[in-house]
Amino acid sequence: MNIWFLGTGAGRPSKHRNVTAIALQLPEPSCGWWLFDAGEATQHQLMRTPLKLSKLEAVFVTHLHGDHIYGLPGLLSSRSFDGGISPVQLFGPPGLKRYMETVFEISGTQLDYELQIHEITDDEGFITDNGQVKVEAGQLDHRVPCFGYRITEHDQPGKLLVDKLKELGVEAGPLYGKLKQGESIALPNGTVVRTADVTGPIQAGRVVTVLGDTKPCGNAVKLAKDADLLVHEATFAAGLEEKAHEFGHCTTIDAAETAAKANAKRLVMTHFSGRYGNEDLIRLEEEAAERFTAVTAATDFMMIEIKREQR
């Protein structure tokens, strides 16, 4: 499971970064990817990654400010030209359906695939599960309705210990399949083999939290609880909390404190104001590290592998 930062800026593009878009590559057997927000020119950013539009399975919009959605109609339109024919799920705040339908109607755009639009209510929790991962949403504290998303991968059984199976006399074939599905099997000599006896440690599901624009709030901590990776906006540097909160945003310190309260394993900050160049990112990381040490300031095209723990 990998996460790509396609745009890490706030408000408008700058010389250093594009506006918000984040891609999450799903693990096998899906091998598809999900998109979180699509600011202006997101499809241009995609061209500089190995991600293919035809493999896009779902889009999650945090809120309807332009720097998070102006690139969405063009991207979805281009998917038809890129061979995309499978359905795409689109999730986001109320008004998203009207926005998309209006743009497509006025521009005469027709898609070669089904676009299934789901608007999230204020008290939404669970919103979808594709069999590999489930997604929950919670409302944040911004100037317009805005959501954060918690993506939880289902635990996977440990790998079969083939050498041990051979020692027990279990032949490869249907019996292996039963053990993989968690069923016990009985051998001709009466020995009962349980799955737990012949498999390695359970592969714990990974948790990724992607928050939209927000000032500090309880739902941000709730969505990020024990997350392997928390993506949090840090529009302003430390010391500008009053200005940040006035406009529904956070500082580096705010982001770090949320990560600490949530017991997240890693924090990646994004959505930086245009006043900060890439040369300022080290300072922004150092500010956050005073409250939460496992922190990274994202740059455009940064890719992070989210590794799986075993238990």
Side-chain angles (χ1 to χ4, degrees), residues 2-9 19-25 33-39 42 45-46 51 56 58-62 67-68 75 151 208-212 229-233 268-271 298-302 304 306:
N2 299 322
I3 192 164
W4 287 83
F5 291 87
L6 305 175
T8 57
V19 283
T20 300
I22 297 168
L24 180 67
Q25 288 180 290
W33 62 280
W34 291 353
L35 181 64
F36 293 83
D37 287 336
T42 292
Q45 300 290 89
L46 278 171
L51 302 171
L56 174 64
V59 181
F60 299 84
V61 174
T62 61
D67 58 321
H68 294 256
L75 181 144
I151 304 95
V208 179
T209 300
V210 179
L211 301 182
L229 180 68
L230 165 61
V231 179
H232 197 302
E233 72 124 287
V268 181
M269 301 184 298
T270 186
H271 199 267
T299 56
D300 284 19
F301 308 110
M302 175 183 287
I304 294 175
I306 307 160

Side-chain angles (χ1 to χ4, degrees), residues 157-175:
K159 294 182 179 180
L160 288 178
L161 304 176
V162 177
D163 290 343
K164 191 168 185 178
L165 288 168
K166 289 180 179 178
E167 290 178 8
L168 294 170
V170 182
E171 296 183 1
L175 295 181

Side-chain angles (χ1 to χ4, degrees), residues 264-283:
K265 295 181 179 67
R266 184 173 183 181
L267 167 66
V268 181
M269 301 184 298
T270 186
H271 199 267
F272 302 111
S273 166
R275 67 176 65 190
Y276 307 115
N278 285 345
E279 66 277 5
D280 298 309
L281 296 185
I282 293 178
R283 174 171 62 89

Side-chain angles (χ1 to χ4, degrees), residues 157-216:
K159 294 182 179 180
L160 288 178
L161 304 176
V162 177
D163 290 343
K164 191 168 185 178
L165 288 168
K166 289 180 179 178
E167 290 178 8
L168 294 170
V170 182
E171 296 183 1
L175 295 181
Y176 276 28
K178 288 185 177 182
L179 289 167
K180 286 181 179 179
Q181 293 171 9
E183 299 179 28
S184 297
I185 63 171
L187 301 180
N189 63 6
T191 301
V192 175
V193 180
R194 300 176 305 163
T195 298
D197 298 329
V198 292
T199 56
I202 291 175
Q203 300 181 70
R206 291 159 283 192
V207 177
V208 179
T209 300
V210 179
L211 301 182
D213 293 5
T214 187
K215 60 184 180 181

